[in-house]
Amino acid sequence: MSWAGKILRVDLTAGTVKSEPLNMDWAHAYLGSRGLGSKYLVEEVDAKVDALSPANKIIWSTGPLTGTMASTGGRYTVITKSPLTGTIACSNSGGYWGAEFKMAGWDMVIFEGKSPKPVYLYINDDLVELRDAAHLWGKSVWQTEEMLKKSLQDPLTRVSSIGKAGENGVLYASVVNDLHRAAGRSGVGTVMGSKNLKAIAVRGTKGVGNIHNPKAFMKAIAEKKKILADNAVTGQGLPAYGTQVLMNVINEMGALPTRNHRDNAFESAKDISAEAMATPRKTDGKKQLVTNQACFGCTIACGRISKMDESHFTVANKPQYWGASGGLEYEAAWALGAANGVKDLEALQYATMLCNEEGIDPISFGATVGAVMEMYEMGVLTKEQIGIEAPFGSAQALAFLTEETIYSRGFGKEIGQGSKRLTAKYGQPDLSMTSKGQEFPAYDGRAIQGIGLAYATSNRGGCHLRGYTIASEVLGIPVKTDPLEHEGKPELVKAFQDATAAFDSSGLCVFTTFAWGLADLAPQISAACGDQYTTEELEKIGERIWNMEREFNNRAGFTAKDDSLPKRLLTEACKTGPSKGKVNMLAEMMPKYYAVRGWDAEGRPTAATRARLEL
C-alpha cells in the first residue's frame, strides 16, 4: 500500500520517543506529506497557539510515493504553525532525506513540547533515540551534517537540520538537508530552533517494498518518465538551465519585480540569468555553473552546482567558500538580485551559499533587504542605523546584510523579523511586499494577474508554489491564458491550487506538473497504494486539503480582509513593457474566487462545501 503505516511521536519535554500506527482513514483522505501532515497538525494544535511556544508542534511528513521509483520521489514536507505569518506553515524539500526516512520504515515524525537542552533525533531503521546536541548548537548546517556523519561513522546518513538563523530566531529560518536543499519558507526552521531541536539524522536500509501492484506501478512510472523526458520544460529547459531559465523570459514580459516592486523590469537581468551563469567570467575565464544535479529518483535534474570567482571581494579571504556548492535558482537570484537592483552575479552566489549554510529563506530575506534599501533611499533609514550605505544596486550592502542577518548582528536582527514588521516599525507598512506577512516571490502580480490572486489567497502567505499559474499564464501549460487578463483567473487559480495540493501530498515534486496532470499522477498512486485514485478523486483530495488549511487559518483569526495585496500592486501601475499601465484587479477577482471555492462572503467554507469535502 506504499505507506509505511507507522509514525514517530517525540515528546521533547519528556525526552521520550514512541511509535504509533498511521491513521489510515486520514491517509486515504489526505494522501500523505502536505495533506496528511497538515491533518495531524490541524487535529492536534490549537490554531491560536503562539508559534514559538512549546504547545506548537512540528511535523516531518513523507508521501506514499516518497522513496519509490517514481520520478522525483524524494520529497518531504515540514508542517507547523508559522512564526512569520501566524498561518499554517507547510514547506517542502527535495534532496535525499525524505526517501531515506521513508526507507527507514516511517511515514512521519511529530515533535511536541520543548527540550530543556539542545538535542537531535537519531533514526537507524527501528532504532530511534534523542541524543545530546550541545556540541552541534551554534554550528552551521554544513558543519552539523559533517560532524554527524563523522560521529555516526556512516557517510550515507542523511541530515535535516537548522543553522544559526533557526537558533537565533530569524523568523524565516529554513530547515536544510543535503547541504543545499531546503524546506525554505514560513519559518519552519525557527520553530525547530525554538524547541532546541538541532537536527534529524536518519539511515534507512529497509527500502519501500510494499507497493500494492509492482507490475502496474513499474509500467505506469516508465510511461510517465518518458513524458517528462519528451517535454520541452522537464526534458530540456530545466536540466540545461534550471529554474533560472525564467529570468530573461519574465523580465521581457515586464513581470520581473525590481527594486522592491517599484519597477517591473530589471535592466541588468541578463547579468544574473542562467545564461550568465553558463558564460565564462572575464576575471578567471571559468563559468560559475559547474554542473546540474538531481534529487533522489529525479529524472529532471534542475539543481545547480556552482563555483565562485575566488578573487571576488566577498570570498577573497574566505577559502571555505571556494569549493563547488549549491548554485542560484531563479527565486533566490531574483530576491537577492533584481529585488534589490544588484547585478553582481558573484555577490548573489555568495549570499545564496550563506543562506544555505545557516538555514535562511533567500526569498523573504532578499525581499526584506529590498524594503530596507527603499527606506534608505527615502531617508527613513540611515547608514548609521543599517551599518553601511545601502542604496539599490549595492552588492557590498547585500553581502554585509546577509552576514549580519544570518548571525543576528546589528541591523540584521531587524531584517530577520521580515519586511512586514520592519516596515511597520519605521512607519512605512506599504513598503512590505507581502501577503499575510510572507514576502512575494519573483513574479509581478500586476503583470501576471492570476499569480497576484494566488498570492492574496495562499494559505501560507505570499507564495508561487501553492498555485503556479505561471505555467499557464507564461508557459502555456496546460493551456495558454493571457497574463494581463483577469477574467477567468479565479477558476484557473483554484484549479492550480487544488492540483498542487494533491501533487505535494503524493511525495513527488511539483515541477513534474510542467509535463503531467492529475491524470498522470492517478495511475502511479493507484498502483502503489491499492485504491483506485481517479483524476476526480485526486482533485477532490486537493480541494479538501486546501479547505482544511483555510479553516485552520480562519480559526487562527484570519478573515477575508487578509486575502490582500500591498497598495503598490493595486494602485501603482507597471511602468514599462507589455504590462505598462496595469495594476492587479484583485477587487474584481476575489468575489468570483470565493464563489468558485464555495465560500461565503467572509471567505469561510459553507456548510455545503464542508459536507461535500467531508471535512
Side-chain angles (χ1 to χ4, degrees):
M1 61 177 186
S2 197
W3 293 283
K6 293 193 307 179
I7 69 173
L8 284 166
R9 191 174 292 274
V10 182
D11 186 330
L12 291 166
T13 306
T16 59
V17 181
K18 66 177 183 179
S19 165
E20 62 184 61
L22 181 68
N23 185 319
M24 291 311 301
D25 289 339
W26 291 356
H28 290 296
Y30 295 91
L31 278 187
S33 203
R34 172 181 166 186
L36 190 56
S38 296
K39 175 64 173 174
Y40 271 86
L41 185 85
V42 163
E43 292 294 334
E44 297 185 8
V45 174
D46 182 348
K48 289 187 164 59
V49 72
D50 178 347
L52 298 179
S53 75
N56 193 13
K57 298 185 183 184
I58 185 167
I59 300 169
W60 276 247
S61 183
T62 63
L65 298 186
T66 304
T68 71
M69 292 178 69
S71 184
T72 76
R75 311 299 295 191
Y76 74 97
T77 305
V78 184
I79 303 110
T80 186
K81 182 178 178 180
S82 169
L84 180 69
T85 64
T87 66
I88 194 166
C90 173
S91 203
N92 191 287
S93 183
Y96 289 78
W97 189 93
E100 196 75 21
F101 178 71
K102 183 80 174 288
M103 288 192 276
W106 306 99
D107 291 304
M108 187 185 304
V109 56
I110 302 172
F111 291 93
E112 307 172 339
K114 176 180 179 176
S115 174
K117 62 179 184 179
V119 292
Y120 76 94
L121 187 70
Y122 175 62
I123 304 169
N124 189 334
D125 292 340
D126 294 329
L127 171 67
V128 186
E129 297 174 340
L130 274 175
R131 296 183 174 182
D132 182 64
H135 63 301
L136 301 173
W137 205 254
K139 302 297 183 186
S140 73
V141 167
W142 296 354
Q143 292 168 323
T144 297
E145 184 162 326
E146 182 182 10
M147 291 168 71
L148 282 172
K149 287 182 175 181
K150 193 172 181 181
S151 66
L152 296 169
Q153 297 185 316
D154 189 349
L156 294 179
T157 298
R158 299 294 176 180
V159 179
S160 178
S161 67
I162 55 170
K164 294 185 202 47
E167 295 176 7
N168 292 333
V170 172
L171 288 183
Y172 42 85
S174 51
V175 173
V176 181
N177 57 280
D178 301 293
L179 302 179
H180 48 82
R181 308 319 305 164
R185 306 223 66 195
S186 308
V188 292
T190 319
V191 174
M192 191 175 173
S194 75
K195 295 185 176 300
N196 277 328
L197 177 61
K198 179 65 177 178
I200 309 172
V202 61
R203 184 73 172 94
T205 64
K206 296 182 177 184
V208 180
N210 53 344
I211 300 295
H212 175 74
N213 187 336
K215 214 174 242 185
F217 185 67
M218 295 303 288
K219 181 174 183 289
I221 64 170
E223 289 172 358
K224 304 314 173 188
K225 284 178 179 178
K226 185 174 189 313
I227 293 172
L228 293 177
D230 292 343
N231 181 271
V233 178
T234 53
Q236 298 164 39
L238 286 172
Y241 289 112
T243 55
Q244 269 278 67
V245 72
L246 286 168
M247 183 65 72
N248 288 324
V249 174
I250 300 296
N251 192 57
E252 285 163 16
M253 288 179 62
L256 190 71
T258 299
R259 289 176 281 270
N260 200 36
H261 282 71
R262 267 195 342 201
D263 302 304
N264 59 296
F266 186 35
E267 63 283 355
S268 301
K270 67 180 188 317
D271 297 320
I272 61 169
S273 65
E275 293 82 353
M277 290 170 66
T279 302
R281 292 180 287 246
K282 290 177 182 173
T283 49
D284 61 3
K286 296 176 182 175
K287 301 173 186 176
Q288 190 186 88
L289 180 67
V290 176
T291 185
N292 65 336
Q293 187 182 53
C295 299
F296 174 89
C298 179
T299 55
I300 301 172
C302 74
R304 306 292 93 183
I305 299 296
S306 294
K307 196 170 184 298
M308 284 194 68
D309 173 3
E310 295 172 10
S311 68
H312 191 263
F313 78 88
T314 53
V315 297
N317 299 310
K318 298 172 184 171
Q320 66 268 36
Y321 298 112
W322 291 357
S325 187
L328 286 162
E329 296 180 19
Y330 173 60
E331 303 297 335
W334 164 79
L336 302 168
N340 305 306
V342 176
K343 65 177 182 179
D344 184 332
L345 187 65
E346 298 301 309
L348 305 193
Q349 175 61 20
Y350 175 65
T352 206
M353 284 198 293
L354 291 189
C355 289
N356 291 336
E357 183 185 24
E358 295 296 353
I360 201 169
D361 172 16
I363 300 178
S364 281
F365 166 71
T368 302
V369 170
V372 169
M373 288 182 169
E374 182 161 6
M375 288 192 287
Y376 173 81
E377 291 203 345
M378 291 167 64
V380 174
L381 293 173
T382 65
K383 175 188 175 183
E384 289 67 36
Q385 287 170 295
I386 300 171
I388 193 172
E389 301 279 7
F392 281 124
S394 172
Q396 287 77 13
L398 174 69
F400 172 77
L401 292 174
T402 308
E403 294 165 5
E404 294 294 279
T405 303
I406 66 167
Y407 297 124
S408 290
R409 296 188 306 227
F411 197 74
K413 291 179 183 175
E414 300 204 38
I415 294 175
Q417 298 302 293
S419 67
K420 182 179 179 180
R421 290 166 177 81
L422 192 151
T423 55
K425 177 178 176 178
Y426 292 99
Q428 303 292 329
D430 289 342
L431 298 185
S432 172
M433 297 298 112
T434 55
S435 176
K436 300 180 181 72
Q438 180 159 276
E439 286 73 16
F440 297 144
Y443 313 91
D444 196 308
R446 296 166 292 193
I448 306 175
Q449 294 288 315
I451 204 69
L453 177 61
Y455 290 165
T457 57
S458 167
N459 287 329
R460 68 170 185 174
C463 174
H464 58 299
L465 289 172
R466 285 294 176 271
Y468 194 68
T469 64
I470 303 304
S472 171
E473 295 181 280
V474 177
L475 302 172
I477 300 168
V479 292
K480 183 73 175 81
T481 54
D482 183 352
L484 300 176
E485 177 57 63
H486 65 276
E487 290 292 338
K489 293 303 165 67
E491 295 84 356
L492 183 76
V493 168
K494 177 188 179 292
F496 268 87
Q497 288 172 336
D498 294 347
T500 300
F503 268 93
D504 283 348
S505 301
S506 71
L508 302 187
C509 178
V510 72
F511 284 3
T512 59
T513 60
F514 288 120
W516 293 348
L518 289 173
D520 298 294
L521 179 62
Q524 300 180 74
I525 293 275
S526 295
C529 298
D531 296 331
Q532 276 309 307
Y533 284 95
T534 62
T535 302
E536 293 73 26
E537 178 62 18
L538 289 177
E539 282 175 358
K540 188 175 181 181
I541 288 172
E543 189 178 5
R544 180 182 297 132
I545 292 164
W546 190 269
N547 280 268
M548 171 183 65
E549 294 170 340
R550 176 73 180 196
E551 291 198 314
F552 179 91
N553 288 349
N554 286 347
R555 290 195 299 276
F558 288 86
T559 66
K561 70 176 174 53
D562 296 297
D563 292 333
S564 62
L565 294 172
K567 189 177 172 185
R568 177 164 281 174
L569 271 63
L570 301 174
T571 63
E572 295 179 27
C574 288
K575 298 174 184 174
T576 55
S579 57
K580 185 176 180 179
K582 295 294 288 188
V583 295
N584 185 271
M585 306 298 285
L586 189 66
E588 284 78 4
M589 292 188 284
M590 194 60 74
K592 294 176 185 174
Y593 175 83
Y594 281 6
V596 298
R597 273 262 167 241
W599 296 351
D600 65 21
E602 295 303 309
R604 296 173 303 216
T606 64
T609 298
R610 298 190 83 257
R612 180 173 61 81
L613 298 174
E614 302 162 80
L615 284 168

